[in-house]
Amino acid sequence: MSIDLSQFFEVFFEESLEGLDVMESELLNLTPGDVDNETINTIFRAAHSIKGGSGTFGFTHVSDFTHVLETLLDQIREGSRELTAEHVNLLLQSVDCLREMLGDLQNNQETDLTTATQLKEKFEAILAGESQPANTPAATKSSNDNPPVEHGALDTYEVIFKPQHHLFKTGNEPIYLIEELAELGQLDVTANLDDVPDIHNLAADECFLTWCFYLETDKGEEAIKEVFEWVEDDAEITITLCGGLFGDDPIESEPEDVSEPVTEEAPAPTAENKSDKPVPAAKAAAKSGSTESTSIRVSIDKVDSLINMVGELVITQAMLTQLGEGEITENKLMALQEGLAQLAHNTRDLQESVMRIRMLPISFVFSRFPRLVRDTSQKLGKEVELKLLGEQTELDKTVMEKISDPMVHLVRNSLDHGLETPEQREEAGKPRVGTVTLNAFHQGGNIVIEIMDDGAGLNTQKIKQKAIQNGLISDSDDLSDDEINELIFMPGFSTADEVSDISGRGVGMDVVRRNIQSLNGSIEVTSEQGIGSTFTIRLPLTLAILDGQLVTVAQHTYIIPLISIVESLQIDLKMVNCVGGGLNVLRLRDEYIPILRLHKIFNHSGAIEDLDKGLLVIVESDNQKVGLLVDDLLAQQQVVIKSLEANYQKVEGVSGATILGDGRVSLIIDITGLIKLAGLKKAGTSELAIEPIESEEA
């Protein structure tokens, strides 16, 4: 009988990916020639766990590849090989390779083994060379009393494997161990059934068998131990060197170098079922993105708080049920009001507790940047120090996953076009080492993320000339430095003299802003030439709940995100002008605000049409202000966002929906989509595509 191991796959993938994160982080802390043993041991343990788990689950490509890494790491930690910069670079590339292989397995996709094969050959070439002891002339290790066996000589070992009853519950399957043992040589297997109980006392999830193996191999005792290292804490394992049991049927084998690991490929168990053929380029590109985690780890304190809140809710519900029984009296009504107030309080507390479960420290995002900065700075020939601040600042898991790519783009921009070369920095009187700082902190109901560099800053004159050349602004426009800097977020805008394969200051910045706006966030840039630049991202803490302003249009209630609202006011008709196409604009503090009538956009009848009888809500999106004409303003409240696209279909100008307290559905307005729906186009950061209006005084 065997257990379906697929039920443990997701745990294996999560733990393995966490192990790769640990390996990458520790590898970045290594200094060639000056190895910290604890750091190497941490990397080795992570690789060892991934190798053992992948072997157990039948992912042989992963376990074989990791075995070569593990062999090199083992030699380094024992002092028989000195760590070099080449080793660190190869190990970091291997982390990337393993991450992609595990991602393919997790998504049931074919694995392209081209990179893995190339890296494996490089590791084997290193291992095939003579080991140069780092501290001692020679080192011979033996972990037991048996005499060391030289590889290439055939020897027979008796192996007694007596697993504990709970072996299956740890996710281990003896058949895979036996298959791996058979790869080492000629194997004879005998199963001992003495401890197997009768059918009435047999537990399907417990192991009652004991095995005796006789193995003739030229690989040595250490290779046998490696087979069982994943289960050594859950079984009694005895390995004894004995005579040549298979003398009449010798195994023909070429002698192997003592430092070369076992890399023979065996047919992959059905759990893997992968192909070695390369995948098409388009598919490879599609799967190169990181796989979003489907689960999160929650501290026991948060779980206890949630359980406590549920308990309070149950008590309140029981009290209300009791009050509802029998005749309703004045005293009962008063108690009922108090109970409902308590219920509202408990519900808010429960909501906050649930939301805290989804909150994770932003260090999960920040942790990827030390590697990115190291690799990119090496490629660019720059010296860079990365500073991480506010790593324990928490935000929603969904927001965190979606902000990662825009941040990568901004950091690459800082490295490529923000920071100068060491020589340029010295000429400018700066330290050779440039600094990139990532900072995160809470501000109100939002999280603020800053990407700062002490580089050359944005060249405002160059940006302005490029904008004039592209027809985005005219030569006569009088723009402030901040307004000029905002131009880099225009689609396709770039001041880069040549296209870099890493980034171009401005290339794709419109995509960065669009992605951040899709999270109901905003981005702005401040810069000073010769001093540096700061990109500031503001995001809501969660995408599940929105702070909104309820407004009425005819008989309908809409919700406008508070983060988009600048102000609300009554309209003075003296400040209203009409421009081409019948568009009304409001002159407000030297700005001309287009007025959008929501009842016309959403085709409602019975709404207030006279401008001076309604209310105008000034909103801003993508540095563009418009006024929304509504009948009335209602309350401000937090609303739970429901996806309209998932439950109905995508509606232009609407980002989602929510259910109000009276059971009605209310639509949440998407300001960017609404402006697009109304047909307004933006010509630049300081002007709207409407005809200029002369002031009445003129």
Side-chain angles (χ1 to χ4, degrees):
M1 190 201 99
S2 63
I3 289 180
D4 178 16
L5 293 179
S6 62
Q7 61 183 306
F8 304 109
F9 282 1
E10 197 56 43
V11 175
F12 162 72
F13 288 132
E14 288 188 15
E15 291 183 349
S16 296
L17 291 172
E18 287 178 4
L20 290 176
D21 290 340
V22 170
M23 287 180 66
E24 184 176 83
S25 175
E26 296 298 332
L27 282 167
L28 294 173
N29 294 329
L30 284 178
T31 302
D34 183 19
V35 177
D36 176 61
N37 288 334
E38 185 55 38
T39 302
I40 285 290
N41 285 331
T42 301
I43 299 169
F44 179 85
R45 284 193 296 267
H48 183 71
S49 296
I50 294 170
K51 174 198 165 185
S54 56
T56 298
F57 292 121
F59 303 139
T60 54
H61 292 320
V62 177
S63 60
D64 288 349
F65 180 73
T66 316
H67 176 80
V68 190
L69 273 69
E70 187 186 53
T71 305
L72 177 62
L73 289 167
D74 194 33
Q75 292 182 2
I76 293 171
R77 70 173 186 164
E78 290 174 358
S80 60
R81 187 180 297 277
E82 186 172 343
L83 178 72
T84 66
E86 179 192 7
H87 296 156
V88 175
N89 288 332
L90 283 176
L91 288 167
L92 284 170
Q93 292 174 38
S94 300
V95 168
D96 296 336
C97 182
L98 282 169
R99 194 175 279 131
E100 185 172 341
M101 292 168 72
L102 290 170
D104 289 337
L105 290 169
Q106 194 171 14
N107 296 322
N108 294 316
Q109 294 178 338
E110 292 183 347
T111 302
D112 182 1
L113 296 176
T114 305
T115 303
T117 302
Q118 293 172 350
L119 287 171
K120 190 175 178 183
E121 289 174 353
K122 291 180 180 179
F123 279 113
E124 288 174 342
I126 293 173
L127 295 171
E130 293 185 3
S131 299
Q132 297 297 326
N135 301 314
T136 56
T140 303
K141 78 179 182 73
S142 177
S143 58
N144 53 74
D145 295 332
N146 293 329
V149 180
E150 183 180 356
H151 287 205
L154 287 175
D155 287 282
T156 301
Y157 294 88
E158 179 189 58
V159 182
I160 305 298
F161 175 47
K162 186 176 182 180
Q164 297 179 14
H165 292 334
H166 66 261
L167 179 74
F168 295 147
K169 297 177 182 178
T170 64
N172 289 296
E173 172 58 74
I175 188 64
Y176 294 130
L177 301 176
I178 296 173
E179 288 178 353
E180 190 173 352
L181 200 62
E183 294 178 25
L184 301 180
Q186 188 167 341
L187 181 68
D188 180 76
V189 183
T190 302
N192 188 332
L193 310 179
D194 293 345
D195 294 334
V196 178
D198 58 59
I199 190 66
H200 300 292
N201 297 317
L202 188 64
D205 59 350
E206 293 190 357
C207 180
F208 299 98
L209 295 176
T210 299
W211 285 270
C212 177
F213 306 108
Y214 285 97
L215 174 68
E216 188 171 49
T217 180
D218 61 346
K219 302 297 190 289
E221 184 175 340
E222 288 301 316
I224 301 175
K225 287 185 175 182
E226 286 184 3
V227 172
F228 295 100
E229 60 191 355
W230 191 245
V231 296
E232 58 187 8
D233 294 331
D234 301 297
E236 294 180 18
I237 303 165
T238 306
I239 304 174
T240 307
L241 181 64
C242 53
L245 191 67
F246 303 110
D248 296 333
D249 187 17
I251 302 173
E252 297 180 5
S253 173
E254 293 295 327
E256 293 186 86
D257 187 272
V258 68
S259 63
E260 186 171 333
V262 181
T263 57
E264 298 173 6
E265 299 230 358
T270 55
E272 184 161 14
N273 193 24
K274 300 296 173 189
S275 171
D276 291 355
K277 64 181 180 181
V279 296
K283 186 170 182 180
K287 71 182 183 178
S288 62
S290 58
T291 304
E292 289 189 1
S293 175
T294 57
S295 62
I296 55 177
R297 293 193 175 187
V298 182
S299 70
I300 194 66
D301 292 339
K302 291 183 178 180
V303 176
D304 288 342
S305 175
L306 183 61
I307 293 173
N308 184 55
M309 289 300 103
V310 172
E312 293 289 336
L313 198 61
V314 170
I315 293 171
T316 304
Q317 184 266 339
M319 179 184 69
L320 292 173
T321 301
Q322 187 176 358
L323 288 172
E325 296 174 351
E327 184 180 352
I328 301 297
T329 64
E330 186 176 345
N331 289 335
K332 275 193 173 183
L333 283 175
M334 292 179 62
L336 187 61
Q337 287 179 330
E338 293 176 0
L340 290 173
Q342 183 64 37
L343 180 63
H345 177 73
N346 290 341
T347 304
R348 283 194 301 270
D349 287 346
L350 181 61
Q351 180 191 56
E352 291 176 2
S353 293
V354 171
M355 295 309 301
R356 279 198 297 270
I357 286 179
R358 291 182 56 88
M359 303 295 277
L360 297 173
I362 201 171
S363 58
F364 283 92
V365 176
F366 282 6
S367 62
R368 70 185 296 179
F369 289 103
R371 171 72 186 283
L372 185 148
V373 170
R374 175 190 183 274
D375 291 351
T376 307
S377 59
Q378 279 189 350
K379 188 172 185 179
L380 295 171
K382 296 181 179 179
E383 299 176 17
V384 183
E385 178 187 3
L386 176 65
K387 293 183 179 179
L388 303 177
L389 307 175
E391 293 178 84
Q392 297 308 310
T393 305
E394 291 189 333
L395 74 162
D396 187 275
K397 173 179 177 288
T398 305
V399 180
M400 184 181 300
E401 289 172 343
K402 293 185 177 180
I403 195 57
S404 180
D405 286 343
M407 285 186 63
V408 167
H409 190 99
L410 293 171
V411 170
R412 280 178 172 163
N413 270 326
S414 293
L415 295 170
D416 194 6
H417 294 286
L419 295 177
E420 313 93 330
T421 63
E423 293 74 22
Q424 290 170 335
R425 292 181 64 86
E426 285 185 335
E427 289 177 7
K430 294 182 177 181
R432 286 179 59 87
V433 180
T435 302
V436 173
T437 304
L438 303 183
N439 185 26
F441 55 92
H442 287 147
Q443 189 177 76
N446 298 322
I447 182 173
V448 178
I449 303 172
E450 295 177 330
I451 297 96
M452 300 173 279
D453 66 67
D454 64 348
L458 295 176
N459 189 329
T460 53
Q461 289 304 314
K462 192 172 184 180
I463 293 172
K464 185 175 181 179
Q465 290 302 317
K466 194 76 171 181
I468 294 172
Q469 180 183 332
N470 293 348
L472 298 175
I473 59 175
S474 66
D475 194 25
S476 59
D477 286 334
D478 184 19
L479 304 179
S480 67
D481 287 350
D482 288 341
E483 288 177 321
I484 293 173
N485 291 338
E486 286 288 326
L487 290 171
I488 68 172
F489 294 107
M490 297 298 291
F493 185 87
S494 176
T495 60
D497 296 324
E498 57 184 48
V499 177
S500 163
D501 63 344
I502 295 174
S503 68
R505 176 74 80 173
V507 173
M509 282 296 187
D510 61 315
V511 177
V512 171
R513 169 169 275 182
R514 215 162 40 238
N515 289 342
I516 291 171
Q517 287 176 338
S518 70
L519 299 174
N520 297 322
S522 64
I523 180 172
E524 60 187 35
V525 57
T526 57
S527 181
E528 187 175 348
Q529 266 189 275
I531 303 300
S533 303
T534 299
F535 289 86
T536 303
I537 302 171
R538 286 182 174 83
L539 296 166
L541 291 179
T542 176
L543 297 181
I545 292 178
L546 174 77
D547 288 316
Q549 170 69 59
L550 276 63
V551 300
T552 57
V553 180
Q555 297 81 33
H556 303 274
T557 302
Y558 288 93
I559 295 171
I560 302 174
L562 275 181
I563 193 173
S564 302
I565 297 177
V566 178
E567 59 183 302
S568 302
L569 50 86
Q570 289 184 315
I571 300 174
D572 182 357
L573 291 179
K574 294 179 181 179
M575 309 302 290
V576 177
N577 291 280
C578 185
V579 295
L583 177 67
N584 292 120
V585 295
L586 174 71
R587 182 155 48 87
L588 181 67
R589 293 186 291 274
D590 298 327
E591 286 187 278
Y592 291 96
I593 312 295
I595 298 175
L596 304 183
R597 300 171 185 262
L598 286 183
H599 69 276
K600 285 189 176 181
I601 295 175
F602 293 126
N603 196 25
H604 295 322
S605 59
I608 294 176
E609 298 188 21
D610 296 336
L611 294 179
D612 58 339
K613 294 181 180 178
L615 292 172
L616 195 68
V617 182
I618 309 295
V619 295
E620 185 175 19
S621 174
D622 197 11
N623 210 34
Q624 180 175 1
K625 292 179 182 177
V626 297
L628 307 181
L629 181 65
V630 301
D631 293 4
D632 198 7
L633 299 180
L634 302 179
Q636 295 178 2
Q637 67 180 58
Q638 282 191 336
V639 295
V640 179
I641 302 173
K642 302 293 183 183
S643 171
L644 200 62
E645 192 170 354
N647 296 289
Y648 174 57
Q649 66 182 39
K650 184 174 177 60
V651 177
E652 195 70 43
V654 175
S655 61
T658 191
I659 301 173
L660 301 177
D662 58 6
R664 290 185 300 157
V665 174
S666 179
L667 300 180
I668 302 169
I669 293 178
D670 173 20
I671 304 301
T672 304
L674 192 70
I675 294 173
K676 181 180 177 183
L677 186 65
L680 289 179
K681 296 181 180 178
K682 190 178 175 193
T685 57
S686 63
E687 62 173 347
L688 296 166
I690 60 177
E691 298 174 8
I693 305 169
E694 296 182 3
S695 66
E696 293 178 357
E697 290 77 359

